[in-house]
Amino acid sequence: DLVGREVLTYLDGKARDLRDVARKLGHISGFDPAREVAALQAKGLVFQEGERYLNLVLAKEPPRMTRHE
């Protein structure tokens, strides 16, 4: 869903609390940051530490590991 993607994008790279999410995405009609983050957390897409949340989804496939011998 588009709102979920917006939340994940906002939580990418820097942990933020629900107030930050509400400020950034409050323009979306009917947006409930607690409900949206909880739904993403239930899917294992968001990490929580205290009151802050961080996106766990990689935007693209990570580079292949090379083996040096």
Side-chain angles (χ1 to χ4, degrees):
D1 104 351
L2 290 175
V3 175
R5 286 178 191 240
E6 289 284 331
V7 173
L8 287 173
T9 298
Y10 186 61
L11 296 176
D12 196 26
K14 182 177 180 185
R16 302 175 190 273
D17 64 26
L18 289 178
R19 288 183 306 264
D20 292 332
V21 176
R23 271 192 293 267
K24 178 68 174 178
L25 302 172
H27 64 279
I28 299 171
S29 178
F31 179 68
D32 179 348
R35 183 181 69 224
E36 196 63 44
V37 169
L40 294 169
Q41 232 180 335
K43 295 176 184 177
L45 303 177
V46 172
F47 172 75
Q48 179 180 1
E49 182 176 36
E51 294 183 10
R52 297 168 63 88
Y53 301 89
L54 183 66
N55 177 6
L56 294 176
V57 179
L58 296 175
K60 60 181 180 178
E61 189 172 327
R64 293 187 144 230
M65 299 291 291
T66 57
R67 187 173 170 175
H68 298 281
E69 293 184 28

